[in-house]
Amino acid sequence: MQFAFLLEQVVNGLVLGGYYLLIALGLSLIFSVGGVVNLAHGAFFALGAYVSVEITKYLGFGSAVVLSPIAVAMLGILFERYILRRFYTADPILSLLVTFGLAMVAEQAIRIIWGAPPISAAIPPALRGSVFLGDFLFSRYRLLILAVVIAVLVGVWLLLHKTSFGRVVRAGIQRPDMVAALGIRLQPYMTAIVMLGVGMAALAGAFFAPITIVQPAMGADIITVAFVVVVIGGLGSFWGVVIAALLVGVVRGITIHFEPAAGEASMYVLMFVVLLVRPRGLLGERIEKFE
Amino acid sequence: MFSYSRRTLLKTGAAFAGASALGFPAIVRAQATRIKIGHLVPLTGFLGAIGSYAQLGVKLAAEEINQSGGIMGKQIDLISEDSVNPATASTKAQRMIEQDGAVVLLGEISSASSLTIMQVAERNKKVFFSTGARSDALRGKNCNRYSFHCDIPNTVMVNAVGTALNQKGMVKGKKFFTLTADYIFGHDLLKAAKTFFDANGATLAGDELIATDVTDFSPYLLKVRQAKPDVVCCNLAGNQVTNLVKQYAEFGFPYPLVGFNLNTGDAWAAGEGNLSGTWPTVWYHTLDNPASKAFVAAFTQKYGKPPENHAWIEYVTLKLLAQAINEIKSTESDALIAHFEKQTEFDIMKARKGYFRSWDHQLVQEAYPFTVKPKGEMKDKWDMLVLGDAVPVAAEPLEKIYPTKTQNPCEMKA
């Protein structure tokens, strides 16, 4: 019985890892292609949540989880075009300062627009409750999130590996100078990557608004976890981020099963160990421009 | 193209992520002269949401006092800041007294931060009104002469909910599973809960201590199900409560969820149809008395939403403080303490008046259990609670539900 409980925590951890993945994958892509740590990534997550709560009031939950990420992705275009683009070749401290500042501006803007107290959001009644698969208990809503994550993951993988767009992006990660020499401008690709990245963060926000508190600082809270996942997974690796996100979720679940008080520390210990053994991250590639 | 190493980038990034996790300070200062009052309340972190209501309440009180002539003819200068965490709270409290010249301090929701401010108050011999901290230990073994406690302590919340649960036959012989906030407040509340379970024939099937920054409760909920309790009991605080309530509704467990701590701000944020069960509260904006109605009307007109219980306690505290200073014509700590230790009664917008108990400086007052209003009966989205009968019942003395001297020993050094 003890083993079954542990297994239940592992499976639950995988589902939670899927949620971390939605945020971390975008952060990793923007980092890999542009060389910019987007500390404002959490702000897009928060915006995704707030916008979806607003849309839910008028058009229902189904429309909200589709429209909110699209709206935020559009905002991502402006973000890339007018802010991020200026910092790809600059000293990294500048892009860190700018995105950090932007995260503060966004948080304060949310306070001004929606107020400092949290806003209320709930799951549609049809998606409430748990389902049993054998002896395992799953929240119905989280199974839906899992399905969405898998769909997004497959989509992004196909985009990166089976299209000409993806080939340019992957080449851009490894050898931006060669891509430039071949006469391809990376900038439009970067715009698309930022759109995709912040869109995924907003999607995570939209799906998590009904089950976690929706408050102005929610973005700042999540960015740390996303960053840990990216560091554990390693740069430039699609599967590295996937494995890291799932690992963080599972390790947290197992830790809480045995030693609840250490639950939140577990991911940092994991990061510490991984960096000690493999400074490049689990599947991090040797990227010339970063060495 | 890139002249820096990935290692540098990662290190700087980690530093920034860490810095952002500490939260962005929100600083609000009032412009005026003369009597300075220091106010600290968490505006960020897991108590930030309810802290924002507290700040609105205290600002409204300061404005009203200033409009009606101030304190001893002087205007109040309210210095209100984010207390952030216990260490920062203590530093800021010291600065407010030393550099800003605050004559008295008030505020706080976190019991951990309140404890450090209490120490600053004692060291500097300035009076501090701890408005929203609920840990019994603050009025018990950690009490001091300069600190007054306005919110109900943990034992009272347990007694308020416990009385209601006993009436429904949900205590005797039942197995409870508790989820507890992992800091002084939660530990203290769990202790009060255990005392209650022991005294009323209930057992504790399991307890989980949960860090204050946890947002995902699913691993803990799985452990709840494994324990198969009769009742699940929430001893959490701030954002934790909202997150638990939302995710408890998400999993749809059959075990009833009750709680020994809840602020109406947490309930309002929980989302439609998510909250159920029996909980305690210290005040609610639907209480039917003239003072309460006037306050609710003034607050709603100014801020476009009704006051939360922390807005109420801050408003009441600053008002009764101003009234006291006007009466004794002094802001000296000794004069203030002597005045409040006379157990003078104040109108605190409840059926019965309240007073600070002389030996532990606790504001003795009614409390209320509540259940959740069915959706169809709600007048608006703020109208979600059905208040039970005030505890203790009208015929009994107010002190009946408060910890006694033996339960919660407080020795004040002169």
Side-chain angles (χ1 to χ4, degrees), chain B residues 93-413:
Chain B
Q94 182 69 36
R95 198 209 64 220
M96 283 176 172
I97 294 173
E98 236 173 52
Q99 293 177 18
D100 304 338
V103 294
V104 55
L105 298 176
L106 81 155
E108 204 43 68
I109 294 173
S110 156
S111 294
S113 299
S114 185
L115 184 58
T116 63
I117 302 175
M118 283 169 64
Q119 289 157 356
V120 172
E122 189 181 29
R123 240 185 355 251
N124 293 280
K125 300 197 174 4
K126 291 282 181 226
V127 172
F128 166 50
F129 286 86
S130 172
T131 48
R134 291 174 171 171
S135 176
D136 283 316
L138 302 184
R139 325 41 193 158
K141 72 175 186 341
N142 298 114
C143 77
N144 71 46
R145 188 168 169 258
Y146 295 91
S147 305
F148 289 81
H149 308 276
C150 308
D151 211 337
I152 46 175
N154 284 341
T155 297
V156 171
M157 294 196 293
V158 171
N159 285 340
V161 173
T163 311
L165 291 181
N166 255 331
Q167 284 165 0
K168 294 176 190 166
M170 281 174 72
V171 183
K172 200 173 168 44
K174 301 290 184 195
K175 270 197 322 187
F176 279 75
F177 193 103
T178 52
L179 299 162
T180 302
D182 196 2
Y183 74 113
I184 175 176
F185 162 78
H187 301 173
D188 200 303
L189 185 55
L190 179 62
K191 203 175 122 202
K194 278 179 177 164
T195 311
F196 174 79
F197 294 150
D198 287 346
N200 291 277
T203 51
L204 188 61
D207 173 62
E208 294 287 331
L209 287 177
I210 301 177
T212 53
D213 57 350
V214 168
T215 51
D216 171 61
F217 283 78
S218 58
Y220 300 102
L221 290 176
L222 293 179
K223 292 181 92 170
V224 166
R225 176 188 160 247
Q226 288 158 10
K228 296 200 167 44
D230 297 312
V231 183
V232 179
C233 176
C234 165
N235 291 336
L236 301 169
N239 291 357
Q240 287 184 317
V241 180
T242 309
N243 281 325
L244 175 75
V245 164
K246 281 181 149 184
Q247 288 165 37
Y248 203 82
E250 177 203 349
F251 277 81
F253 284 157
Y255 331 111
L257 177 69
V258 301
F260 288 136
N261 178 45
L262 186 129
N263 293 294
T264 24
D266 307 329
W268 287 335
E272 204 172 87
N274 283 340
L275 188 68
S276 61
T278 307
W279 305 75
T281 190
V282 62
W283 180 84
Y284 193 54
H285 68 280
T286 57
L287 274 178
D288 192 13
N289 64 68
S292 190
K293 281 184 167 166
F295 166 58
V296 173
F299 190 98
T300 311
Q301 201 205 347
K302 185 166 167 60
Y303 300 114
K305 58 189 169 199
E308 198 256 9
N309 55 289
H310 283 287
W312 159 79
I313 194 76
E314 299 264 345
Y315 179 89
V316 164
T317 303
L318 189 55
K319 280 288 177 94
L320 66 84
L321 177 63
Q323 186 193 334
I325 296 176
N326 276 334
E327 273 173 34
I328 61 172
K329 307 241 176 316
S330 166
T331 56
E332 289 303 313
S333 300
D334 285 335
L336 277 172
I337 294 169
H339 178 75
F340 287 112
E341 283 187 348
K342 278 190 288 184
Q343 305 208 152
T344 317
E345 291 198 328
F346 305 98
D347 182 355
I348 52 168
M349 306 179 188
K350 297 185 177 188
R352 281 172 279 184
K353 289 184 170 180
Y355 59 89
F356 285 100
R357 196 156 64 164
S358 60
W359 62 270
D360 66 350
H361 292 181
Q362 168 65 44
L363 180 61
V364 175
Q365 56 186 308
E366 298 176 342
Y368 317 88
F370 71 81
T371 49
V372 182
K373 213 170 237 190
K375 197 187 161 195
E377 294 170 24
M378 288 167 58
K379 271 186 285 187
D380 52 46
K381 62 177 173 170
W382 314 105
D383 179 32
M384 55 186 293
L385 312 186
V386 184
L387 290 187
D389 293 334
V391 286
V393 291
E396 286 177 329
L398 283 174
E399 286 199 32
K400 186 173 179 278
I401 52 171
Y402 287 79
T404 60
K405 247 179 185 164
T406 33
Q407 284 169 340
N408 208 20
C410 160
E411 281 178 32
M412 290 187 196
K413 283 171 277 199

Side-chain angles (χ1 to χ4, degrees), chain A residues 8 107 130 139 212-213 290, chain B residues 6 24 243 246 250-251:
Chain A
E8 196 171 56
E107 188 178 321
S130 304
S139 133
T212 53
I213 187 161
F290 292 132
Chain B
R6 181 181 60 200
F24 313 131
N243 281 325
K246 281 181 149 184
E250 177 203 349
F251 277 81

Side-chain angles (χ1 to χ4, degrees), chain A residues 86-95, chain B residues 1-2 4:
Chain A
R86 301 166 192 273
F87 296 96
Y88 296 144
T89 52
D91 188 324
I93 196 79
L94 290 179
S95 62
Chain B
M1 187 171 177
F2 297 93
Y4 47 88

Side-chain angles (χ1 to χ4, degrees), chain A residues 22-23 25-27 29-31 33-34 38 41 44-45 48 66-82 84-85 88 152 156 159 165 169 186-204:
Chain A
L22 276 185
I23 303 155
L25 194 57
L27 191 63
L29 276 174
I30 295 172
F31 192 7
V33 185
N38 179 21
H41 210 63
F44 293 102
F45 165 79
V66 176
L67 294 179
S68 159
I70 293 175
V72 174
M74 294 300 147
L75 208 60
I77 299 181
L78 299 180
F79 168 58
E80 197 280 335
R81 177 67 190 79
Y82 293 103
L84 265 197
R85 186 170 287 185
Y88 296 144
V152 168
V156 172
L159 183 70
F165 171 85
V169 169
L186 265 177
Q187 278 182 347
Y189 290 89
M190 198 52 212
T191 312
I193 286 294
V194 171
M195 269 180 73
L196 182 67
V198 303
M200 282 193 286
L203 185 67

